[in-house]
Amino acid sequence: MAETVQTPLTRDELEAENARLRAALEAAGIDAARAGAGAAQAERDALHHADLVASRDSVAVLEVGRAALSHSESRQRAIFESAIDFAIVVTDPAGLITDWNRGAERTIGWTAAEMRGHGADRFYTPDDRASGRVQEEMEEALRDGRTADERWHLRKDGERFWASGEMMPLRDEAGTHVGFVKILRDRTSEHLAGLALKETKERYRLAVKATNDAIWDWEFSSNHVLWNEALTQAYGHPRDTIEPTGDWWIGRIHPDDRARIEASIHAVIDGTGTAWSDEYRFQRADGSYADVLDRGHVIRDDDGRAVRMIGAMLDLTGMRSAENALRLSEERFKTILETIEAAFAIVEVKFDAENRPVDYRFIEANPAFAREAGVDLRGKWVTEFAPDLEAFWFETYGRVARTREPANFESYAEAFKRWFDVRAVPVGPPEDRQIAIIFNDVTERRNAQDRLLVSEALARENVERVQLALAAGAIIGTWHWDLPTDRFTVDEGFARAFGLDPALGREGIPLAQIVETVHPDDQAGLAAAINEVIARGGPYAHQYRVRRHDGRYYWIEANGRVDHAPDGTPQSFPGVLLDVEERRAVEQERDRAIAQLRGLTETLEQRISARTAELMNAEEQLRQSQKMEAVGQLTGGLAHDFNNLLAGISGSLELMNNRINQGRIKEIEKYMVAAQGATKRAAALTHRLLAFSRRQTLDPKATDVNALVTGMLDLIQRTVGPGVRIETVGKDDLWPALVDPSQLENALLNLCINARDAMPNGGRIIIETANRWIDQGAARRQDMPEGQYLSLSVSDTGTGMAPEVIAKAFDPFFTTKPIGQGTGLGLSMIYGFAKQSGGQVRIHSTQGEGTTVSIYLPRHRGDAEEDEAAPQGDLRPLAQAGETVLVVDDEPTVRMLVTDVLEDLGYAAIEAADGAGGLQVLQSNARIDLLITDVGLPGGLNGRQMADAARVNRPDLKVLFITGFAENALISNGQLEAGMAVLTKPFAVDTLAARIRELITS
């Protein structure tokens, strides 16, 4: 019998076959609903195994046909015989064949008459018959409901064929086992192709070993790169020093080439192409660079996703003079032109009679060019679009075309209203005066840089100080002293600094062992300082000399805080060690320089200048060292507050575990309440820290501040109590402000509480609004841009503030209140909120007379928004049938939480761990009703970029950003686009559910 050749069915073809079989059922008058119930699982599995989908649909057809046999034997036979692409074999419970369709005759060769009454093992191989494979399959099918396999079978003429198959038991309407159905699909060609692939891989391995090119194999899912031995031979990198990662490879590319190569290779990987080629400088083991030509080929799965890339790197150093590696075929040029993400164009520069560049025409431009430039100029002279374009562009491009020297620069184009980062290189013969331009729109980056230069808030500086201190090693280590148990533990940094065993540092070190390292002359002073702070509680700072692991003494500063229990018993003493050796040396050097400078006032001017420069340098270093003092205050406060909160959470969870093990379930609730309360306080603390650092997530709206104040009066009066009188002075024609109203309400309430605390015997609070014009002089004094502002001021008749207190009022964790009555983050939060909103906060105070705190907010050129009415009715956010939500977050626990919430609400959930994976789902045909994504994602594509890219093909896509940080990429022009919303981490589950429903139904 000739070999039966069956064309593999695609997913669309299988779905069409399924629809055809169902239509045949309906035409035969058979219950389609019952057929659908039997085949539902097969339809869902089609996404993962197309052959078994068709097989299961055929089984559903067969089972339904048997159930309807009494209704129409002829119709059942027509349906059974219609599945000609699949061999369907029906047996009795003993395995004897009772039915055999045309697909089986076509695939295996025997006719139905020839096979009825024979055992099903007739078309199995001798080995399978000997091992009792058919009996095993029947037992597995009865036990599990179905069994699937892939193996060799025999045709009538003795020829072997490879088939994927599935066997299932058949039951009548009463559930009695009446036989089996075996469905086969000829997969010989695919199987042989797989064997050929293995052989190809072996030939590839031998070729890689024999070639002089550095061959690499990059697997994207694990970022693993495999090199052949040529990498060592050509570039000197020993195999045992090579990190087998894509990061190691990219790190060896010359810094000037790295960004270009990453962009070009990812343009192919993230696009639809398969070939990549580029030239760059690759670092040899001795530090020199080799010019290389790298070529790669992308391997994609059935869905078009890139899974790996194999390539070869050729050293061009010795053949650069003999080859022109830039010569590419027209087809390759077009492929690169259409797939790279960077804007690319080839222009012809026009010169006048005096050889001056006066215009240029765009000969070629890729799609990214139109996106970056905002206009399609292919085939046009630039002066047709921008007759007043700056002369700089003509002169720069003309110089490249004339001198053949590349140029890299950033410049602003008034005609396009954008900043561009440009690289221009000559192409083609010199007489053509043509150049290639590769550029990116960097307007947002430049604007962000400008805003950063203007922004010098104290809160931001404190955060940067922490980062600098950690990076520079200014913080030696941290300790925690549990005073009731006298258990003194340290971190690894502390242990390494003093030559201690890190394990011992975690278990607890006797304090006497630590004191032994203190200089003998400083031990008495240290003991007195420790005893004093333990007795009074609160912040602690002391400088002394210690002997570190090298045997030398160094100056350090211990900075911490002692906490007391409500009864006054000392409880804990956490803190940090700061390295102040350099600062002490700088101070001594400064004092010496000042003394010498005074003695040299009448010497030569040159010597005076030299000493003055030394003094300025010493003072600058001193200022830098003083900045580190703020690090101790910030980290001490953070350690204190978070240790308290973590103790509450950890203790509650531990007691909950104990109560569960003890079976005391009813007692769990109070520990859950305690843990949730501590979690909310921790979230509030991070919210305040983000506020003062100007990194919180804001939802700005055009706001009527007078109306906001009026709506807050009852709450403020109840909060400050009857002993304080509230007065308001509102400007009638007050300008609106673009501000987050809830954050402004919080700031106003905090200011009123501070005012109340400053008036222990009662008094008066005045809340006043006004329009302000800040001129240039006032702007310099107030440290804010000049312009039009509205002000919201809170004045009290309290005790007032001393100048030194005002100077530190906005510092994080600075407070004049007793321990336990304030965190010291209230004013710093208000300051950060005002600065993040484009405004400023200022304090005016006189001791004994009172204080005025004013918040300045930029004027908004538009009308204030009306408050939306609260939604009525049932807000239970249940999903509608088929509604699907894509969840993208690199944190597995967050994905698990959101997915569980969605499934509880009835939504179908799809997960992705990064922006690239999420975008692949969004660019497929899958139904997506809502995208829930973090903003900061790994892999080079953040959440906002992924959402914007998805909206190209899904313009109505709803997006919910969940973030604990205010990324600059999240909002544009101060606002989110329609159909987008933000939910700040951490969030309550019911809040998440309500927000999901609001977005989907909006």
Side-chain angles (χ1 to χ4, degrees):
M1 176 179 176
E3 180 182 12
T4 301
V5 179
Q6 297 179 353
T7 305
L9 296 181
T10 65
R11 175 179 172 179
D12 291 340
E13 291 170 339
L14 287 170
E15 291 176 350
E17 177 69 9
N18 181 29
R20 184 184 70 77
L21 292 175
R22 292 186 179 278
L25 273 177
E26 294 176 1
I30 298 173
D31 187 357
R34 181 172 180 181
Q41 182 61 40
E43 293 175 1
R44 288 192 296 270
D45 293 342
L47 294 173
H48 304 290
H49 202 305
D51 290 336
L52 292 183
V53 165
S55 298
R56 293 169 188 167
D57 272 335
S58 299
V59 170
V61 171
L62 183 58
E63 291 178 349
V64 172
R66 290 187 178 279
L69 184 59
S70 61
H71 177 72
S72 176
E73 178 65 25
S74 61
R75 292 175 181 175
Q76 185 271 342
R77 172 57 56 184
I79 295 170
F80 178 75
E81 293 297 341
S82 65
I84 61 173
D85 288 331
F86 298 89
I88 304 177
V89 182
V90 181
T91 73
D92 63 12
L96 297 180
I97 297 172
T98 61
D99 221 336
W100 181 274
N101 77 335
R102 287 200 301 157
E105 180 177 344
R106 178 183 175 187
T107 302
I108 307 176
W110 283 287
T111 66
E114 291 173 328
M115 290 301 290
R116 287 192 183 96
H118 288 276
D121 59 357
R122 189 176 188 184
F123 56 87
Y124 278 68
T125 64
D127 292 341
D128 285 346
R129 287 199 294 268
S131 65
R133 178 59 192 168
V134 176
Q135 185 63 31
E136 290 179 7
E137 287 188 9
M138 290 191 295
E139 292 173 356
E140 290 174 6
L142 281 174
R143 184 183 66 246
D144 301 331
R146 59 165 48 87
T147 180
D149 68 348
E150 288 189 329
R151 60 198 320 106
W152 289 106
H153 294 76
L154 291 178
R155 304 190 202 275
K156 179 180 180 181
D157 60 2
E159 179 187 9
R160 290 193 174 202
F161 68 99
W162 182 270
S164 60
E166 185 169 8
M167 177 180 286
M168 286 165 286
L170 288 177
R171 301 182 186 275
D172 60 17
E173 293 182 349
T176 303
H177 176 219
V178 297
F180 296 92
V181 61
K182 173 77 172 181
I183 303 173
L184 296 174
R185 172 71 165 160
D186 187 348
R187 306 294 293 174
T188 307
S189 59
E190 290 87 342
H191 181 66
L192 294 178
L195 296 177
L197 178 60
K198 292 182 180 179
E199 183 180 351
T200 301
K201 288 182 178 179
E202 178 62 18
R203 290 199 300 268
Y204 165 75
R205 185 186 67 81
L206 296 175
V208 164
K209 186 174 182 180
T211 184
N212 291 325
D213 289 353
I215 306 298
W216 48 268
D217 187 340
W218 184 11
E219 184 180 12
F220 299 142
S221 61
S222 63
N223 195 27
H224 184 273
V225 178
L226 179 66
W227 297 88
N228 68 341
E229 296 178 355
L231 185 68
T232 301
Q233 300 167 359
Y235 305 101
H237 292 287
R239 296 182 65 87
D240 56 355
T241 65
I242 299 171
E243 297 179 14
T245 66
D247 297 334
W248 181 89
W249 171 29
I250 296 299
R252 306 285 83 74
I253 298 176
H254 193 284
D256 294 344
D257 301 339
R258 193 173 301 152
R260 171 176 58 83
I261 295 304
E262 285 190 291
S264 70
I265 198 167
H266 280 287
V268 177
I269 295 171
D270 299 337
T272 59
T274 57
W276 169 76
S277 177
D278 214 328
E279 296 180 24
Y280 55 87
R281 288 163 288 181
F282 186 78
Q283 189 177 39
R284 300 185 180 95
D286 61 4
S288 63
Y289 285 90
D291 293 329
V292 301
L293 171 64
D294 210 343
R295 296 91 66 204
H297 182 82
V298 176
I299 299 174
R300 301 183 182 276
D301 60 17
D302 293 339
D303 295 328
R305 292 188 296 264
V307 296
R308 65 193 303 182
M309 192 174 188
I310 301 175
M313 193 166 62
L314 175 64
D315 189 346
L316 298 177
T317 306
M319 63 180 71
R320 178 63 74 178
S321 59
E323 293 180 309
N324 181 5
L326 295 177
R327 195 180 328 141
L328 299 173
S329 67
E330 183 65 22
E331 183 61 30
R332 173 174 289 182
F333 172 77
K334 289 182 179 179
T335 301
I336 295 175
L337 192 65
E338 295 298 325
T339 57
I340 62 174
E341 292 297 326
F344 175 82
I346 295 179
V347 302
E348 173 190 351
V349 183
K350 180 180 179 181
F351 292 83
D352 62 12
E354 298 179 1
N355 204 28
R356 292 179 301 187
V358 295
D359 206 349
Y360 53 89
R361 178 167 59 92
F362 292 86
I363 299 174
E364 292 284 349
N366 68 343
F369 176 89
R371 294 195 302 269
E372 295 288 337
V375 62
D376 187 0
L377 291 176
R378 279 179 289 190
K380 300 178 182 178
W381 293 96
V382 72
T383 53
E384 298 178 25
F385 173 77
D388 299 326
L389 185 64
E390 296 87 347
F392 165 81
W393 299 93
F394 301 114
E395 294 170 357
T396 303
Y397 291 161
R399 181 168 57 255
V400 174
R402 186 171 49 243
T403 65
R404 314 294 291 171
E405 295 180 0
N408 291 291
F409 60 90
E410 282 188 10
S411 185
Y412 183 76
E414 180 64 31
F416 298 92
K417 304 296 183 183
R418 299 182 185 185
W419 279 92
F420 294 106
D421 177 17
V422 184
R423 175 171 175 80
V425 297
V427 297
E431 61 271 14
D432 289 346
R433 300 292 181 93
Q434 293 182 359
I435 64 173
I437 304 170
I438 304 172
F439 69 90
N440 291 288
D441 184 348
V442 295
T443 306
E444 287 300 322
R445 175 171 63 78
R446 292 295 297 246
N447 291 341
Q449 290 174 346
D450 293 341
R451 290 193 298 269
L452 185 61
L453 292 175
V454 175
S455 173
E456 293 181 353
L458 181 60
R460 177 64 175 172
E461 292 177 357
N462 282 340
V463 174
E464 292 173 351
R465 289 170 187 160
V466 173
Q467 295 171 344
L468 290 172
L470 292 172
I475 296 179
I476 299 175
T478 65
W479 83 83
H480 187 276
W481 186 6
D482 187 76
L483 296 172
T485 62
D486 197 27
R487 184 170 179 264
F488 194 89
T489 58
V490 301
D491 64 5
E492 291 189 6
F494 190 114
R496 287 196 303 270
F498 294 95
L500 303 173
D501 182 359
L504 184 62
R506 291 188 295 270
E507 297 168 359
I509 300 176
L511 185 61
Q513 185 175 349
I514 301 298
V515 175
E516 287 179 358
T517 64
V518 179
H519 195 284
D521 296 343
D522 298 340
Q523 291 184 4
L526 174 61
I530 292 176
N531 293 333
E532 188 268 340
V533 72
I534 291 177
R536 64 171 170 81
Y540 162 81
H542 187 68
Q543 294 185 3
Y544 52 94
R545 290 164 291 178
V546 295
R547 183 181 67 252
R548 295 176 65 172
H549 61 86
D550 59 1
R552 296 176 54 195
Y553 283 95
Y554 295 85
W555 280 99
I556 64 169
E557 178 178 307
N559 200 314
R561 183 185 185 94
V562 174
D563 293 327
H564 284 181
D567 62 357
T569 303
Q571 292 294 310
S572 62
F573 191 177
V576 299
L577 292 184
L578 304 178
D579 187 345
V580 296
E581 176 71 20
E582 182 179 354
R583 193 180 90 190
R584 298 283 297 213
V586 169
E587 290 174 344
Q588 294 176 0
E589 179 64 20
R590 182 197 61 183
D591 294 341
R592 184 184 66 80
I594 292 174
Q596 291 182 356
L597 187 62
R598 289 173 179 171
L600 296 175
T601 53
E602 297 185 4
T603 61
L604 296 176
E605 184 177 303
Q606 294 84 347
R607 297 182 63 186
I608 294 176
S609 298
R611 290 302 182 186
T612 302
E614 290 182 15
L615 176 61
M616 292 175 65
N617 183 56
E619 289 180 342
E620 177 59 27
Q621 296 184 44
L622 176 60
R623 282 194 296 271
Q624 182 64 27
S625 298
Q626 289 170 339
K627 290 180 181 179
M628 295 300 102
E629 295 180 9
V631 174
Q633 180 174 324
L634 177 60
T635 54
L638 285 171
H640 167 258
D641 284 6
F642 272 107
N643 279 334
N644 286 341
L645 294 169
L646 291 174
I649 295 172
S650 176
S652 296
L653 293 174
E654 185 175 350
L655 288 171
M656 287 169 63
N657 185 57
N658 291 340
R659 294 296 181 265
I660 291 172
N661 292 334
Q662 295 165 359
R664 298 160 63 182
I665 304 300
K666 294 182 179 180
E667 301 180 21
I668 292 178
E669 183 176 0
K670 64 180 179 180
Y671 302 120
M672 292 177 62
V673 172
Q676 289 174 345
T679 302
K680 291 177 180 179
R681 292 195 299 275
L685 178 60
T686 57
H687 176 74
R688 288 170 175 259
L689 288 170
L690 288 173
F692 97 79
S693 64
R694 288 173 264 159
R695 303 290 282 182
Q696 65 178 329
T697 303
L698 297 180
D699 185 14
K701 299 178 181 177
T703 304
D704 183 344
V705 178
N706 276 341
L708 182 144
V709 172
T710 301
M712 289 282 294
L713 286 179
D714 289 342
L715 174 62
I716 293 173
Q717 186 65 71
R718 289 195 303 270
T719 303
V720 301
V724 177
R725 187 170 74 256
I726 306 295
E727 297 180 5
T728 60
V729 181
K731 177 71 173 174
D732 291 338
D733 55 348
L734 186 69
W735 297 323
L738 186 64
V739 68
D740 187 328
S742 63
Q743 295 299 327
L744 184 58
E745 289 175 348
N746 189 34
L748 175 59
L749 184 60
N750 269 283
L751 291 178
C752 291
I753 292 173
N754 285 347
R756 178 203 64 188
D757 295 341
M759 301 182 294
N761 298 320
R764 182 179 60 176
I765 294 177
I766 301 174
I767 303 174
E768 182 178 4
T769 61
N771 296 328
R772 305 289 186 186
W773 286 267
I774 306 298
D775 59 18
Q776 188 174 9
R780 284 196 300 269
R781 292 191 301 274
Q782 300 280 49
D783 187 25
M784 56 193 295
E786 63 180 301
Q788 294 180 332
Y789 295 79
L790 63 103
S791 65
L792 173 62
S793 303
V794 176
S795 304
D796 63 63
T797 57
T799 56
M801 302 167 66
E804 60 270 20
V805 174
I806 295 176
K808 295 185 176 181
F810 297 127
D811 287 0
F813 296 104
F814 174 80
T815 179
T816 59
K817 297 178 183 179
I819 296 174
Q821 298 185 18
T823 64
L825 282 174
L827 282 177
S828 64
M829 179 200 70
I830 296 171
Y831 180 86
F833 158 70
K835 293 293 286 182
Q836 190 175 355
S837 300
Q840 183 60 279
V841 180
R842 283 292 173 259
I843 300 177
H844 303 280
S845 183
T846 303
Q847 286 185 284
E849 296 181 8
T851 301
T852 298
V853 181
S854 299
I855 300 176
Y856 293 85
L857 298 171
R859 175 184 180 182
H860 175 62
R861 302 285 182 175
D863 297 329
E865 297 181 12
E866 296 291 336
D867 289 338
E868 297 180 359
Q872 302 296 323
D874 183 14
L875 294 181
R876 190 180 183 195
L878 295 178
Q880 300 298 319
E883 289 182 336
T884 303
V885 179
L886 172 61
V887 181
V888 184
D889 200 300
D890 59 326
E891 175 55 47
T893 56
V894 175
R895 291 201 310 273
M896 177 195 69
L897 168 65
V898 177
T899 300
D900 287 352
V901 170
L902 289 168
E903 292 177 350
D904 288 346
L905 298 175
Y907 295 97
I910 302 174
E911 297 184 37
D914 53 33
L919 186 58
Q920 288 177 353
V921 176
L922 289 165
Q923 290 178 340
S924 70
N925 294 326
R927 173 177 177 176
I928 303 295
D929 296 281
L930 174 65
L931 167 63
I932 300 179
T933 178
D934 196 355
V935 180
L937 294 174
L941 190 68
N942 65 37
R944 180 56 191 265
Q945 292 170 336
M946 175 184 63
D948 289 343
R951 280 195 166 193
V952 174
N953 296 323
R954 298 175 183 256
D956 298 326
L957 178 66
K958 308 293 180 58
V959 183
L960 175 59
F961 296 103
I962 53 174
T963 177
F965 199 65
E967 288 87 351
N968 293 333
L970 180 55
I971 59 175
S972 176
N973 300 322
Q975 298 186 21
L976 287 170
E977 296 179 4
M980 292 183 176
V982 181
L983 187 60
T984 304
K985 298 176 183 175
F987 46 76
V989 171
D990 55 350
T991 302
L992 172 64
R995 188 62 62 89
I996 290 172
R997 181 173 183 267
E998 290 172 6
L999 277 172
I1000 291 182
T1001 59
S1002 64

